[in-house]
Amino acid sequence: MGRVEKGIQCSVAGCKERAVRSVSRERAVRSGLKIEGEGRKAYLCREHYKDYKKALKDEMKVMRMRWRA
């Protein structure tokens, strides 16, 4: 049983929602989210995970092109 299943809160500053996903802290910061706390993982609620995906959409497209080559 992981931290998300146990009910950890979202790592974004000022958010008190329950997290639904965990992502790399480095990538979360790169996407423009203000992450609180320490550690390697950032825990995101549904709304912030949506923002995270939108922010890194172009980067993921480039990575997929590299994998195909």
Side-chain angles (χ1 to χ4, degrees), residues 7-67:
I8 194 165
Q9 287 186 348
C10 183
S11 299
V12 177
C15 183
K16 300 295 181 192
E17 296 291 318
R18 288 183 61 168
V20 293
R21 298 286 298 223
S22 64
V23 296
S24 165
R25 176 177 295 280
E26 178 184 328
R27 292 191 66 196
V29 170
R30 201 174 345 156
S31 72
L33 297 173
K34 294 184 187 237
I35 305 295
E36 292 180 334
E38 297 290 322
R40 298 174 69 171
K41 294 282 185 184
Y43 301 94
L44 303 177
C45 64
R46 184 177 302 273
E47 288 299 315
H48 288 118
Y49 184 66
K50 238 164 103 172
D51 296 339
Y52 166 82
K53 287 194 312 184
K54 286 179 184 178
L56 295 180
K57 186 176 182 180
D58 292 334
E59 182 179 324
M60 289 302 294
K61 194 181 291 185
V62 170
M63 288 175 67
R64 280 190 211 105
M65 284 188 230
R66 278 192 217 147
W67 292 333

